[in-house]
Amino acid sequence: MELPPKYYHENFEYLLSFVKEKYGHLLSEEEWRFLRKYYSLPEDAQCLFIRFCNRKGIFFREGSLSYAEIGDIPAQIGVLKERGFIQYLAYPEHSYFVKDLLQTLTKNELLKCFPEVCSKHMLKEEMMHVVLEKLSIREMFKTVSSTISLLKVNFEHEVSFLKFLFFGNRSMDMTEFVMRDLGLIQYHKTSEDDLVARFQTRKEAEDKWLISEQFLVFEEIKSHYSAHQVHDWYCSFRDEHKDLSTVAIPSFQRLQLNIGRFLERHKNYELALEVYEDAEVPPSRERRARCLAKAKFFEEARVLCEEMISAPYNVDEQYFAEYFLPTLSGKKNKKHTTLFLKEAEEIHIPAMYKHQVELGSLEYFLEKGYSGSFSENFSWRALFGLWMWDIIFDPSLVAFHHPFQRRPSDLYLPDFYIKREQQVEERLLQYENAEELVLHLWGVFEREYGTANPFVVWDVEIWSMVRVLVTRIDLQALRQIMRTMAMNLVENSRGLPDLLIWDEETYELIEIKSPNDALSHQQLYWLKTFQELGIKARVLRVKFEE
């Protein structure tokens, strides 16, 4: 499929119209000013500006611009420059972007501009470092300006923020339009009228944007700052932003966990404890217990473990605390996972599969006459996705905000099941036998095949695995598995067995463990849950034949 010459112009215009409709009341005067100036441009100048915005970086070589669909590019550059959309590299206006500038230059261009400090034997990163260290920003800009004609795109913040409002995050970009238009991704069709704003207030949007920026700041400073400096930076930010909007808090908690791990790896346990105490999400309590023990605060660690045992956030916490608590008193203790794995049966496969243990194990069962496939989480997630398809994508729950969403925005939040409990329970009880359920699932599979779904990987074998699960496993047990997944999709859609094998009469779910592999808490949880529900599942230890 070939896209129209100015496809990107149409897509950008759609994005702007969407943002004006959904977020017009939230836009700042600077953003409205940008929109007014953009709409006053001739179409070809708009196209060139969009081309700039869709490329990586904010600096571009004037002589390298070539777009067949845009007439008289030098004239369009003149229009954009005259109206403030681009400008030539300038000091001191662009000094804040010095790293972006050096990143734009090739290794040869750095060598040509700065031969006094760079050598051809250096890597580009080394060249950038030595230029920043040895030369002033004024010198750098003067040298580059006299050697290469570079243009800087303006309104980069306004454009980035408008895209952020449209997508609701900074990880998606205009390539989503292209992927859709080329047919590479088929999105669930949601009526424009059913799409609602992701942010209800300007503060919600700015808070979410702010936290996304702090991830970038942390990535930058952790390589150059000491642990105490990182902690000081974190505390300053935390204290200045105590009233973060609810929509931004999950992202901030993920940042806190990253910072805590950084401090912990640098053996600053007391600093890490402070950050973990702020986070209040798994695995913060486990990390706190470990830090307390390393800092020799054993009584505090014991109290925390008892809290996790009495009211665990997830099975990782529970199993960890049950193992870790006795060790705080100096007692030798083995993990539940270690004991469970030790009792598992062994199978022997050829040594050629040492780096493909699951494949070798599957071949082992295929040679015994079974059918089989790699299931891991795929088969169960696919069953959930097909069974609950229209509930997942129900627009009445105000969870869809733009046409490129692969999942509702609350999918992994605690209230996903709470908001949908009645619908989920009605769906679980809607089909009285496996035959009725198979017909429903097949209808969804045929109708939605290829549509992006957070649970369904459209593999050629996925339907056969789903059908085996539904036709071989007791329906009441299946309902309980689906209910358990729905109640905590973050935790309970992972850790499921590696293989699904079956023949005409039976089936089995198998977790494969190589000699050096350990069983995770979540894997143990599912194996025990399956056993309690009468589902055939076990773990196998693999040994290699010489």
Side-chain angles (χ1 to χ4, degrees):
M1 178 179 180
E2 189 171 331
L3 297 176
K6 294 183 177 179
Y7 68 90
Y8 55 90
H9 182 268
E10 180 181 343
N11 293 339
F12 191 71
E13 294 269 314
Y14 171 82
L15 182 145
L16 295 183
S17 297
F18 185 97
V19 170
K20 286 191 298 179
E21 178 187 348
K22 306 293 184 184
Y23 297 103
H25 62 295
L26 304 185
L27 298 182
S28 67
E29 176 53 36
E30 290 79 10
E31 288 144 10
W32 279 116
R33 175 174 170 270
F34 161 74
L35 289 170
R36 290 191 294 269
K37 288 175 69 69
Y38 166 81
Y39 287 123
S40 72
L41 291 171
E43 183 177 293
D44 275 358
Q46 290 177 346
C47 287
L48 185 57
F49 177 70
I50 297 167
R51 283 287 196 184
F52 284 140
C53 293
N54 288 346
R55 288 172 57 172
K56 187 177 180 181
I58 58 173
F59 291 103
F60 302 96
R61 295 165 185 80
E62 182 177 15
S64 65
L65 300 174
S66 176
Y67 300 109
E69 78 282 3
I70 300 176
D72 196 353
I73 288 180
Q76 309 313 322
I77 288 176
V79 172
L80 292 177
K81 187 172 180 296
E82 178 186 351
R83 307 211 188 166
F85 283 83
I86 59 174
Q87 61 186 122
Y88 289 111
L89 180 65
Y91 177 87
E93 294 95 316
H94 301 154
S95 57
Y96 179 79
F97 305 102
V98 61
K99 289 187 178 179
D100 298 271
L101 169 63
L102 296 180
Q103 191 64 52
T104 301
L105 304 180
T106 66
K107 182 178 175 180
N108 286 336
E109 287 171 336
L110 285 167
L111 188 60
K112 180 179 179 181
C113 290
F114 311 109
E116 68 276 19
V117 294
C118 296
S119 72
K120 62 181 180 180
H121 303 295
M122 290 180 173
L123 297 174
K124 181 178 177 180
E125 290 71 21
E126 293 177 286
M127 290 184 176
M128 291 173 57
H129 177 75
V130 74
V131 168
L132 287 168
E133 186 179 68
K134 301 291 186 182
L135 301 177
S136 69
I137 296 177
R138 180 191 293 273
E139 289 178 283
M140 283 184 254
F141 273 69
K142 181 179 179 181
T143 301
V144 173
S145 298
S146 64
T147 309
I148 307 167
S149 180
L150 286 180
L151 297 167
K152 181 195 169 290
V153 182
N154 294 332
F155 298 111
E156 67 275 8
H157 177 77
E158 286 81 358
V159 172
S160 295
F161 195 73
L162 292 173
K163 289 179 180 179
F164 171 76
L165 288 175
F166 179 85
F167 291 112
N169 59 69
R170 295 177 77 167
S171 61
M172 302 176 77
D173 56 33
M174 301 302 289
T175 58
E176 300 291 337
F177 287 89
V178 179
M179 299 285 280
R180 178 200 62 185
D181 295 342
L182 290 175
L184 300 176
I185 297 180
Q186 179 181 331
Y187 296 93
H188 180 78
K189 291 181 173 59
T190 303
S191 168
E192 292 277 328
D193 294 335
D194 290 329
L195 297 174
V196 297
R198 178 75 173 92
F199 309 108
Q200 301 304 310
T201 66
R202 177 78 186 192
K203 184 178 187 316
E204 285 186 350
E206 289 183 342
D207 283 354
K208 182 78 171 176
W209 174 272
L210 177 66
I211 298 303
S212 69
E213 284 191 322
Q214 301 319 299
F215 275 94
L216 301 177
V217 173
F218 177 58
E219 284 301 310
E220 177 69 22
I221 67 175
K222 70 180 184 181
S223 301
H224 309 290
Y225 280 25
S226 69
H228 281 278
Q229 288 173 318
V230 168
H231 181 259
D232 289 344
W233 163 76
Y234 162 74
C235 289
S236 296
F237 179 83
R238 177 200 61 193
D239 294 343
E240 290 174 12
H241 301 89
K242 290 183 178 296
D243 62 340
L244 282 175
S245 305
T246 301
V247 71
I249 289 175
S251 296
F252 185 46
Q253 289 170 328
R254 289 195 296 275
L255 177 63
Q256 288 171 316
L257 291 174
N258 289 349
I259 295 169
R261 287 292 282 165
F262 169 83
L263 297 172
E264 189 179 349
R265 283 193 292 270
H266 284 74
K267 303 187 186 303
N268 290 87
Y269 301 120
E270 294 190 28
L271 299 183
L273 278 167
E274 181 181 339
V275 179
Y276 285 139
E277 285 171 4
D278 292 340
E280 298 181 339
V281 289
S284 62
R285 291 200 294 184
E286 175 185 338
R287 302 316 313 173
R288 282 170 58 198
R290 293 183 184 276
C291 288
L292 286 166
K294 289 173 181 176
K296 302 190 184 306
F297 299 130
F298 298 114
E299 184 56 35
E300 291 89 339
R302 275 191 285 272
V303 171
L304 186 55
C305 285
E306 288 166 357
E307 288 178 6
M308 285 189 275
I309 292 170
S310 62
Y313 288 151
N314 57 31
V315 295
D316 283 329
E317 277 200 347
Q318 179 182 340
Y319 287 147
F320 161 76
E322 289 174 352
Y323 153 74
F324 199 62
L325 183 58
T327 68
L328 295 171
S329 301
K331 298 177 182 178
K332 290 186 177 181
N333 192 26
K334 287 191 175 181
K335 297 180 180 179
H336 296 304
T337 50
T338 303
L339 295 172
F340 195 89
L341 185 58
K342 186 177 180 181
E343 298 172 357
E345 182 184 341
E346 286 184 1
I347 62 171
H348 293 79
I349 64 174
M352 62 182 286
Y353 291 114
K354 278 188 176 180
H355 302 294
Q356 295 177 300
V357 180
E358 290 84 3
L359 176 60
S361 302
L362 180 59
E363 291 293 336
Y364 172 90
F365 286 103
L366 294 178
E367 289 176 5
K368 290 182 175 294
Y370 290 95
S371 298
S373 185
F374 303 108
S375 62
E376 202 166 0
N377 305 317
F378 303 132
S379 54
W380 289 100
R381 288 172 61 87
L383 174 57
F384 183 88
L386 294 172
W387 203 337
M388 304 292 166
W389 188 287
D390 54 328
I391 298 173
I392 294 169
F393 289 102
D394 186 349
S396 69
L397 296 165
V398 193
F400 288 87
H401 313 292
H402 62 80
F404 301 104
Q405 279 187 238
R406 295 170 171 84
R407 57 181 176 83
S409 57
D410 66 343
L411 186 66
Y412 296 117
L413 297 180
D415 63 347
F416 174 82
Y417 175 72
I418 296 171
K419 288 166 60 177
R420 297 165 175 81
E421 181 176 2
Q422 182 177 346
Q423 293 166 290
V424 169
E425 294 301 327
E426 288 176 356
R427 176 58 52 80
L428 290 175
L429 298 174
Q430 184 173 347
Y431 305 102
E432 297 182 358
N433 55 59
E435 290 74 19
E436 290 182 3
L437 180 55
V438 167
L439 286 175
H440 166 72
L441 297 173
W442 176 247
V444 177
F445 188 88
E446 279 196 310
R447 182 181 72 248
E448 304 290 351
Y449 187 85
T451 301
N453 181 297
F455 300 102
V456 183
V457 177
W458 298 107
D459 182 85
V460 291
E461 296 182 358
I462 199 68
W463 172 250
S464 64
M465 292 190 289
V466 168
R467 194 174 188 283
V468 170
L469 293 176
V470 174
T471 56
R472 306 298 171 84
I473 298 176
D474 176 70
L475 184 56
Q476 189 60 30
L478 285 178
R479 289 174 180 145
Q480 185 55 44
I481 295 297
M482 295 296 102
R483 182 178 295 112
T484 301
M485 289 179 65
M487 292 173 72
N488 190 341
L489 285 166
V490 173
E491 303 293 339
N492 295 336
S493 61
R494 63 182 179 89
L496 293 137
D498 295 312
L499 302 181
L500 173 61
I501 63 168
W502 67 91
D503 59 19
E504 291 297 322
E505 298 181 357
T506 189
Y507 73 92
E508 195 164 21
L509 291 149
I510 301 175
E511 182 66 40
I512 300 296
K513 290 299 172 187
S514 64
N516 298 319
D517 199 4
L519 195 65
S520 74
H521 292 147
Q522 191 66 29
Q523 289 167 343
L524 176 59
Y525 167 78
W526 274 124
L527 289 167
K528 286 187 171 182
T529 299
F530 285 158
Q531 291 176 359
E532 291 168 3
L533 293 172
I535 296 173
K536 295 178 181 178
R538 59 176 169 154
V539 60
L540 287 178
R541 289 182 292 133
V542 169
K543 290 294 179 77
F544 299 108
E545 299 168 351
E546 295 300 329

